[in-house]
Structures are given as C-alpha cells and as structure tokens.
Amino acid sequence: MPVSPRLTLALFLTAVSGGLSGCLNQAQEDWTGYAEADIIYLASPTAGQLRSVAVQRGDMVKRDQALFALDTDSEDINSQAAQAQQDRASAQLTDLGKGRRPHEIQAVEAQLEQARAALVVSSAQLKRHQELVKQGFASPAQLDELQAAQSRDAALVRQAEAQLAVARDQARPDTIGAARAELRAAEAQLAQQQWVKRQKARAAPVNAQVFDVLYRVGEWVPAGAPVVALLPEHAVKVRFFVPQTDLARTKVGNRIQYACDGCQAATAVIRYVSPQAEFTPPVIYSNESRGKLVYMVEAIPEGDAGAMLKPGQPLTVHPAQQP
C-alpha cells in the first residue's frame, strides 16, 4: 500500500523529534564543574620583615620542613626582659622564705639580752626593797615605782623575744603567695614571647606542594598575612552544580564520574551537597543553565586520580553507576 507524502513527513518529524529528545535527555545527564583545592595559607601572628624563604613555587615539601622565617629582634628583646622579670620574682620568693639576714638577727638578740639584763636589775631592786620594807628600814611608798620599773622591763623582754621570732621566721603566707603568683606571671610572659618567636619561623604542617610564595625576602609582612600557600596531597576535589531535579542522584555517598580535556575519566564520591540554592556561577554559564537555580556539590576523587587535576580546571560531570 503506498504511503502518502503527508504520512511520510509526519513519521520523519516524529523520528527527528524523538532523536532530539533523546539527545537532550542525554545532554541533561552532564553537569558542569571545575577542580577546587583546599589551600593551606601559612602566616605569622605578628608582623615583621621577611628574613628568609626556603622554598619556591612548585616545590614538594615534607612535613616539618622549614618554609620561611621573619626577623625576631623584637621578640629577642622582649624575651630578655621577661627572663629578667622572672629571675627577679624567683629571687624575691627565695628571699621571703629565708627570714632576715644574720647580722639583723644578731642585733635583735642583743636587744633581747639588754632587756633581760634590765629586768634582772629591776627585779632585784624590787625584791630588796620589799625586804627592807618588811624590816622597817624603807618606806613602802617606793614599792609602786620599783614594781612599775620591773613590769616595764618584763614587757621589753617580751617585745624583744617577739621581734627575734619574727626575724627568724619566714614572711607571711599571703606575702609568699603574692610572690609566687608574680613568678608564675613572669614565667607565662616569657613562654608567650618564646611562642611568638617560634611562630615567626614556620614549617610545613603536612606533605604538600608549594602552591605560591606571596612575599619576597626583605619585604614587610603584616600580622596574619600569608607568606606561603601549600597544596596538600589529595586536597583537590570536584565541585559541580546540579539543578533541583537532579538532587535525588547527588546524595552524599553516591559516586560520580568526571572528565576533563586531555585526561581520562575518573570517579569521585560525593561528600557534600549544599542545602541552599544559588544562581549558576558565571564561570559555568551556558545557554541551557543561564539564570537557573542550582545546588553546589563537592566530591572527593577516588584513588590517585585527583593528583592529575589542577585547581580551576573545567570538568564535565555525570552520575556514575552506583555499587
């Protein structure tokens, strides 16, 4: 049975429409992204002139390898002042625990002997006069004066004994406690200055590649300004953006496949899905995605494939077959 031209055209348009629909669906499987790196920026907490840089961009460094050092003249002076303050506080605390010096104690002992001798004399005079009064050879009116003199000398003896005890004893507990607190404060000040000095000479915290060196020797580096940027091993991740309709296929733990120009396809595991929608970033604008709301997703490459990626490298991402 012959087919009419109109039916033939209808069948052709249906086939083309189906093919285009399949192509579009296939194209919608791909997401656009790029390689992102977690860079470590090393800085000093205090400002200073950059004295030395032991690495350059592109070098591979090991953990604890020296990277750069700032001048420490100010910290050296502050450390010397803190050390002197600590020595002073320590000597003061030791002195408070010893009591008075030997010649001071000898002077107090001499005063005590003098007071005792005066007491002996006044006591003897009082006793002699009391006997004379009993015998009727002396007037009782002088007894009051002699008793007062004996009481005065006895009080001077007690005073001298108390002064000798104080001279031989240590300082009051509160005074010693204050001296100990001052010593601890001086020790803390010295430790802080030593810590700041160590922070001015930084070493690599992990095995990494030197991503960038931001200052040159001789330049003034502000406090907290990074001097060296490191790219640690396995620090490159895949970042891509998916529309809301594809969120079900981009759950944490799912695997994706990514590819780039001149490299083989590899897989990565999704570790983060942003809970907030955002507009498509300008770097991945296309005619299909412009103006759409998308969700940012991050995935960690499996194996050693991530070492081949460069930060900022464009990637094409699509879902991988789940295990």
Side-chain angles (χ1 to χ4, degrees):
M1 180 177 180
V3 180
S4 64
R6 291 185 178 180
L7 180 59
T8 302
L9 179 60
L11 293 174
F12 174 76
L13 293 176
T14 301
V16 171
S17 176
L20 290 176
S21 177
C23 292
L24 291 174
N25 291 336
Q26 180 64 28
Q28 291 176 356
E29 294 288 335
D30 292 336
W31 303 308
T32 305
Y34 56 92
E36 177 74 6
D38 292 327
I39 305 296
I40 298 178
Y41 295 93
L42 297 178
S44 170
T46 56
Q49 187 179 37
L50 186 58
R51 176 171 295 176
S52 63
V53 178
V55 295
Q56 59 183 357
R57 186 183 303 175
D59 287 350
M60 301 300 298
V61 296
K62 298 293 184 181
R63 181 177 181 179
D64 297 329
Q65 181 176 337
L67 299 177
F68 68 91
L70 274 62
D71 70 277
T72 59
D73 295 340
S74 176
E75 285 69 28
D76 290 338
I77 296 174
N78 292 337
S79 295
Q80 293 175 4
Q83 182 66 58
Q85 185 176 0
Q86 178 181 339
D87 295 341
R88 175 181 176 276
S90 178
Q92 182 179 3
L93 179 60
T94 303
D95 183 67
L96 290 174
K98 291 181 177 179
R100 293 189 182 182
R101 291 172 292 183
H103 67 273
E104 294 178 336
I105 296 178
Q106 291 175 0
V108 177
E109 290 176 344
Q111 293 176 358
L112 176 59
E113 293 297 329
Q114 183 179 1
R116 286 174 177 174
L119 178 61
V120 171
V121 173
S122 61
S123 298
Q125 290 178 349
L126 177 61
K127 184 177 181 181
R128 187 182 310 111
H129 197 77
Q130 287 174 344
E131 292 294 335
L132 293 175
V133 170
K134 289 180 181 181
Q135 296 175 6
F137 295 107
S139 172
Q142 295 182 352
L143 285 177
D144 294 339
E145 183 179 350
L146 293 175
Q147 287 177 351
Q150 192 268 348
S151 299
R152 179 198 60 200
D153 293 338
L156 291 175
V157 170
R158 292 192 297 270
Q159 180 182 2
E161 290 175 345
Q163 290 176 347
L164 180 60
V166 171
R168 289 175 175 174
D169 197 6
Q170 299 177 354
R172 294 178 56 184
D174 294 343
T175 304
I176 295 177
R180 288 175 177 170
E182 185 177 353
L183 176 60
R184 290 194 299 268
E187 292 173 345
Q189 181 69 20
L190 178 60
Q192 181 185 14
Q193 292 300 326
Q194 293 174 346
W195 178 83
V196 173
K197 181 179 179 179
R198 290 194 301 269
Q199 293 301 308
K200 282 195 165 183
R202 301 304 304 272
V206 295
N207 297 339
Q209 181 183 22
V210 178
F211 186 77
D212 201 359
V213 178
L214 306 174
Y215 285 88
R216 299 177 183 273
V217 174
E219 292 183 326
W220 181 263
V221 181
V227 178
V228 174
L230 297 180
L231 176 61
E233 297 178 349
H234 308 291
V236 179
K237 56 191 175 184
V238 177
R239 175 175 289 182
F240 58 99
F241 299 84
V242 299
Q244 183 177 359
T245 55
D246 291 337
L247 281 179
R249 294 183 295 173
T250 53
K251 296 181 179 179
V252 174
N254 285 2
R255 297 169 69 245
I256 56 97
Q257 191 173 34
Y258 65 90
C260 59
D261 296 338
C263 62
Q264 297 181 351
T267 58
V269 179
I270 295 176
R271 287 290 180 262
Y272 174 76
V273 178
S274 176
Q276 184 177 4
E278 57 186 286
F279 285 102
T280 306
V283 71
I284 61 170
Y285 267 168
S286 64
N287 292 331
E288 292 79 13
S289 63
R290 183 172 303 172
K292 293 183 179 179
L293 289 176
V294 293
Y295 292 82
M296 188 266 290
V297 182
E298 292 181 350
I300 307 300
E302 294 183 311
D304 297 330
M308 304 300 296
L309 296 178
K310 305 299 181 182
Q313 186 175 13
L315 302 175
T316 300
V317 183
H318 59 271
Q321 184 176 2
Q322 304 303 320

